[in-house]
Amino acid sequence: MNDRSLSRRTLLAATTATAATAAVAAGSGSASADEDAGASRDRLERLISRMSLEEKVGQLFVSRVWGHSATEPEQAYVDLNLRDFGVRSAAEMVAKYHVGGIIYFAWADNAREPRQIADLSNGIQRAGLAQPTPVPLLVSVDQEHGAVVARIGKPATQLPGAMALGAGRSRGDARSAGRIAGAELAAMGVRHNYAPVADVNVNPANPVINIRSFGSDPNATARMVSSQVRGYQSADVAACAKHFPGHGNTSVDSHTDLPSISHTREEWDRIDAPAFRAAIAAGIDSIMTAHIQFPALDPSNDPATLSRPILTGILREELGFDGVVVTDALNMQGVRTKYGEARVPVLALKAGVDQLLYPENLALAWNAVLEAVRKGELTEARLDESILRILRLKEKLGLFRDPYVTHREVDRTVGVPRHLAEAARIAERTTTLLVNKDGLLPLNRRRHKNLLVVGLDSRPPNQYNPRPIAALRGAFADLGFSATALPFEKSPTPAQVDQAVAAAVGKDAVVVVTYNVDAASGQRALVSRLMATGVPVVALAVRNPYDIAQLGDVPAALASYGWSEVELTAAARVIAGRVEPEGRLPVPVPRADDPSTALFPVGHGLGYDD
């Protein structure tokens, strides 16, 4: 059956298991909003009682899968599924492992375009409802937006990332961004988004969080987190605050190693806790764990994902969170360092986790949990506790009533003009002007008609989005400038610096895109040599705003906090004077020669009248 030709009504009628699910979930009638919590619990507990042990174990897992279709992926992806999971497709994975959720990735061919994503979601839901105990799946994605973590690309609306929103300082914009993102995800059948990031980035050297955070101020971060939670959940998408208990002060990437946080308990209360408390107060549906050691909270030095004192003692009992606790990806080295891969899912459940996200070896992890129950290390009652939370969330999202989406919903929701216009307006309020000597900016298209756009051309997180140098050149062309692009894949070599200097001859201004500049970076030589030509130089930091500290006496400098097309277009409009620079630094920029001293404090940002 071809999902593309199916309306929701046809899908519901064609899937007889849907009626069975509704009967189990609702008893003698359909679920309604005014039924009390006790009746809802009874319905869901009856559903759990019908599950086999294998089905119960499966409900705890959220797995990736290869392919654009739930039943007919291309042969290359069939081969990859057979290699990784022993199944051919998402539908076969659901039938074999009874997984409670699927996470989408662009690199896994799950996210080609919105209608295809909707069809994939429908196929996955049909597979869930065809099980012996029919249960809809919770389809999820990492769609933080910005330029670092965004799995679904154009034509879906692209929005500024967290630090850009932090620079904009508008809770209304944060909520609107969450609402737009949530509405588009829901239209594609994605009902769980692993956002917002609640980490407070107090370490400029943080390699994994950084611009994914709203900033370094705990209270400002808390306000933005609560606004985003309300935005997402107003669109019937479950939000997920991450990474508990706080990943903002580390210089180690938990994807590759196990970081340790040196905060005292008092510092945790003051710095890390406020955003998670705010998320819980806002009604957050789920919270993601961090693969970090936090000795002040658990002296055993177990990763927080495996720590009962942190997840049960603090998150559940102290903060009172009773929603779904989901692990960060279990394929990350940070959680696999101390214990073997088969022990991790069992220890996570014993710590208080509900959902086990993306184990590297699904069969190994699934069988490890099954064996732990059979041997008595875990009880079925412990599994039932987590399954009840998961099913409660699925019921809240309406998945038992209607898990399907339609092309009509996609067409009238995803990437529509009103969403694109609002995203552009939000982005224009985030670009931060850090330096503007002698009033170089805004550039005038009569005096600065011919531009060179040069610098690192970082890949976007989704292949359907444009590369940054091309996007910025196109934005200037749309504004009436004649712009030449010169992208570099990596930090420029001396020969490439010479090439850039030669390309600057005869230009009226140079816009240099910088990306994570440090003392050893060839980007420093690039900016210095370009300034020596006498051509006006404008530096645009498209990732960390800290680059300016390494660039010397640059005439003009801005921060966009991301290299997505919407953020770069906004930066170009600011540089060209089409809009005023309104962004303010949400983090301090330390001096390169004395990191204990701020070159620019939190709140710094120039306007064109300054």
Side-chain angles (χ1 to χ4, degrees):
M1 187 178 294
N2 187 342
D3 288 346
R4 297 179 191 277
S5 65
L6 297 178
S7 68
R8 175 185 285 119
R9 180 176 298 176
T10 306
L11 280 165
L12 289 171
T15 310
T16 56
T18 304
T21 304
V24 172
S28 60
S30 59
S32 62
D34 60 353
E35 290 182 282
D36 60 39
S40 172
R41 184 184 182 97
D42 289 345
R43 290 195 307 274
L44 297 177
E45 286 179 342
R46 287 198 300 272
L47 179 58
I48 294 170
S49 71
R50 291 169 55 94
M51 294 180 184
S52 67
L53 177 58
E54 289 80 4
E55 287 176 312
K56 288 182 178 184
V57 170
Q59 277 297 306
L60 306 173
F61 282 92
V62 179
S63 179
R64 64 179 178 87
V65 69
W66 294 98
H68 75 289
S69 165
T71 55
E72 299 177 351
E74 294 171 356
Q75 186 60 47
Y77 296 114
V78 170
D79 295 341
L80 289 169
N81 282 323
L82 288 169
R83 181 197 70 185
D84 292 348
F85 310 112
V87 299
R88 296 172 56 85
S89 66
E92 289 186 11
M93 174 184 285
V94 174
K96 180 174 181 177
Y97 293 104
H98 314 292
V99 292
I102 296 285
I103 179 172
Y104 288 167
F105 290 99
W107 52 260
D109 198 37
N110 304 146
R112 293 181 181 180
E113 53 86 17
R115 284 189 170 196
Q116 168 268 318
I117 297 170
D119 292 338
L120 175 59
S121 299
N122 284 341
I124 286 169
Q125 296 298 359
R126 294 226 309 274
L129 297 176
Q131 297 180 92
T133 307
V135 181
L137 276 79
L138 193 57
V139 176
S140 63
V141 74
D142 243 344
Q143 187 79 350
E144 297 172 14
H145 283 277
V148 180
V149 180
R151 313 303 187 192
I152 299 174
K154 295 176 68 175
T157 302
Q158 308 299 292
L159 290 146
M163 192 169 284
L165 291 171
R169 310 177 312 286
S170 169
R171 295 185 68 179
D173 284 353
R175 181 166 183 163
S176 292
R179 177 186 52 78
I180 291 169
E184 296 197 5
L185 290 174
M188 293 180 279
V190 181
R191 304 301 296 278
H192 195 188
N193 190 23
Y194 300 127
V197 171
D199 304 313
V200 181
N201 200 79
V202 293
N203 187 343
N206 194 321
V208 63
I209 303 301
N210 222 297
I211 60 170
R212 297 168 61 196
S213 163
F214 289 106
S216 64
D217 182 276
N219 294 323
T221 298
R223 290 191 293 270
M224 300 300 276
V225 165
S226 64
S227 297
Q228 283 247 286
V229 169
R230 291 186 171 96
Y232 280 115
Q233 296 187 181
S234 70
D236 292 328
V237 164
C240 183
K242 61 187 186 184
H243 308 79
F244 189 84
H247 207 319
N249 188 14
T250 175
S251 58
V252 174
D253 187 343
S254 52
H255 290 83
T256 58
D257 206 346
L258 178 58
S260 183
I261 305 295
S262 61
H263 287 178
T264 65
R265 171 62 199 238
E266 292 73 21
E267 287 173 324
W268 179 80
D269 280 321
R270 176 172 56 85
I271 298 170
D272 303 289
F276 291 102
R277 292 183 188 276
I280 293 168
I284 187 78
D285 285 323
S286 66
I287 289 177
M288 180 179 284
T289 67
H291 303 328
I292 56 172
Q293 295 174 327
F294 212 126
L297 304 183
D298 182 356
S300 77
N301 276 334
D302 279 346
T305 298
L306 310 181
S307 168
R308 187 168 180 82
I310 291 175
L311 298 187
T312 297
I314 295 176
L315 181 57
R316 293 287 192 208
E317 296 172 359
E318 184 177 325
L319 300 189
F321 179 64
D322 193 36
V324 172
V325 175
V326 56
T327 69
D328 204 347
L330 295 182
N331 72 324
M332 294 166 60
Q333 194 59 39
V335 76
R336 299 161 66 188
T337 297
K338 191 172 179 181
Y339 299 99
E341 192 172 349
R343 293 297 297 156
V344 166
V346 176
L347 294 175
L349 291 169
K350 293 177 75 171
V353 158
D354 299 309
Q355 280 189 323
L356 301 161
L357 174 64
Y358 189 175
E360 182 68 22
N361 186 326
L362 176 61
L364 178 67
W366 189 88
N367 280 298
V369 174
L370 189 66
E371 189 68 14
V373 178
R374 288 174 173 163
K375 289 184 174 180
E377 184 178 6
L378 289 170
T379 65
E380 279 200 61
R382 170 65 192 90
L383 269 56
D384 293 351
E385 177 186 333
S386 286
I387 295 167
L388 181 61
R389 290 194 185 97
I390 295 165
L391 296 185
R392 193 170 61 197
L393 178 55
K394 292 179 180 182
E395 183 180 60
K396 176 186 174 183
L397 295 171
L399 290 172
F400 284 107
R401 294 192 304 276
D402 183 1
Y404 299 118
V405 292
T406 66
H407 288 183
R408 181 183 179 192
E409 288 174 281
V410 169
D411 295 344
R412 68 185 183 188
T413 307
V414 180
V416 293
R418 67 181 183 279
H419 286 175
L420 298 174
E422 180 63 11
R425 285 192 293 270
I426 292 171
E428 287 174 354
R429 294 190 280 265
T430 67
T431 305
T432 304
L433 179 60
L434 301 173
V435 175
N436 191 23
K437 294 180 179 178
D438 300 321
L440 171 60
L441 298 182
L443 297 182
N444 184 293
R445 66 179 178 182
R446 289 185 293 274
R447 294 196 309 273
H448 307 106
K449 176 74 172 178
N450 295 310
L451 302 180
L452 173 65
V453 180
V454 61
L456 263 67
D457 206 30
S458 305
R459 292 185 179 275
N462 186 287
Q463 67 264 38
Y464 301 107
N465 292 349
R467 297 289 289 264
I469 299 298
L472 195 56
R473 188 212 65 80
F476 280 118
D478 290 343
L479 294 168
F481 292 86
S482 176
T484 301
L486 181 57
F488 299 131
E489 289 284 336
K490 299 178 180 179
S491 187
T493 64
Q496 290 173 323
V497 171
D498 290 342
Q499 181 186 7
V501 168
V505 174
K507 295 296 188 289
D508 300 317
V510 179
V511 178
V512 185
V513 170
T514 67
Y515 181 101
N516 289 7
V517 183
D518 58 29
S521 174
Q523 296 174 85
R524 296 182 72 196
L526 174 66
V527 173
S528 177
R529 291 279 306 282
L530 287 170
M531 285 195 294
T533 67
V535 178
V537 172
V538 179
L540 175 63
V542 299
R543 184 162 178 157
N544 301 336
Y546 313 113
D547 288 1
I548 181 62
Q550 299 285 349
L551 299 183
D553 199 26
V554 66
L558 308 94
S560 65
Y561 312 97
W563 60 97
S564 67
E565 187 175 19
V566 70
E567 290 163 314
L568 293 175
T569 298
R573 288 177 60 79
V574 168
I575 291 169
R578 296 298 180 90
V579 292
E580 286 285 322
E582 296 184 34
R584 299 293 181 266
L585 281 173
V587 293
V589 173
R591 294 176 59 95
D593 57 352
D594 181 10
S596 64
T597 303
L599 177 64
F600 296 117
V602 171
H604 173 77
L606 303 175
Y608 284 142
D609 294 330
D610 295 329

